[in-house]
């Protein structure tokens, strides 16, 4: 048993819990799956294909962005979102590396 991690999580793991928490909600999973490769979408575009209200979509997008799952940019009155591919790959590789090391 490795007791080193019972009190402190390694720094490279700190953002991972936010990712998994954000992706633990089915609505946020559906939002993430809405994006085509390389696509940028705004709140209205996502709300148009969602069963959620525009304000609920905005709430979920905020959580995904704060967790690092999505990136965003404001252009005029619209905010466009896209999947933060590099960040997610890095986060998943950290977890996979740990699993591979121990299996």
């Amino acid at each position: 048993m490795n007791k080193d991690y019972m009190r402190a999580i390694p720094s490279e793991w700190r953002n991972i819990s936010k990712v998994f928490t954000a992706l633990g909600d089915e609505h946020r999973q559906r939002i993430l799956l809405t994006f085509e490769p390389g696509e940028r979408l705004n709140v209205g575009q996502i709300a148009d294909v969602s069963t959620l209200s525009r304000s609920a979509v905005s709430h979920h997008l905020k959580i995904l962005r704060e967790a690092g799952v999505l990136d965003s940019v404001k252009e005029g009155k619209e905010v466009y979102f896209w999947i933060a591919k590099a960040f997610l790959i890095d986060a998943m590789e950290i977890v996979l590396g740990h699993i591979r090391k121990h299996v």
Side-chain angles (χ1 to χ4, degrees):
M1 177 188 309
N2 187 343
K3 296 181 183 179
D4 292 342
Y5 300 122
M6 293 306 292
R7 289 193 172 83
I9 298 292
S11 61
E12 63 270 14
W13 280 72
R14 294 231 165 87
N15 292 325
I16 294 173
S17 64
K18 292 178 186 177
V19 171
F20 284 112
T21 299
L23 295 178
D25 180 273
E26 287 187 20
H27 293 298
R28 292 191 284 272
Q29 292 171 21
R30 286 188 192 101
I31 288 171
L32 191 66
L33 292 168
T34 301
F35 288 86
E36 294 287 342
E39 187 172 46
R40 295 175 0 148
L41 298 171
N42 64 35
V43 176
Q45 291 169 310
I46 296 168
D48 285 346
V49 297
S50 175
T51 58
L52 302 172
S53 68
R54 185 180 174 106
S55 63
V57 168
S58 292
H59 169 74
H60 289 297
L61 289 170
K62 178 183 177 192
I63 291 169
L64 289 165
R65 185 178 43 79
E66 288 176 350
V69 174
L70 297 179
D71 281 327
S72 65
V73 66
K74 186 170 184 176
E75 294 180 3
K77 293 182 179 182
E78 291 293 339
V79 178
Y80 289 90
F81 297 87
W82 62 93
I83 294 174
K85 185 177 175 179
F87 172 78
L88 285 173
I89 289 171
D90 289 345
M92 296 303 150
E93 298 235 348
I94 289 168
V95 174
L96 287 172
H98 181 76
I99 292 168
R100 286 184 182 120
K101 186 169 73 173
H102 291 89
V103 176

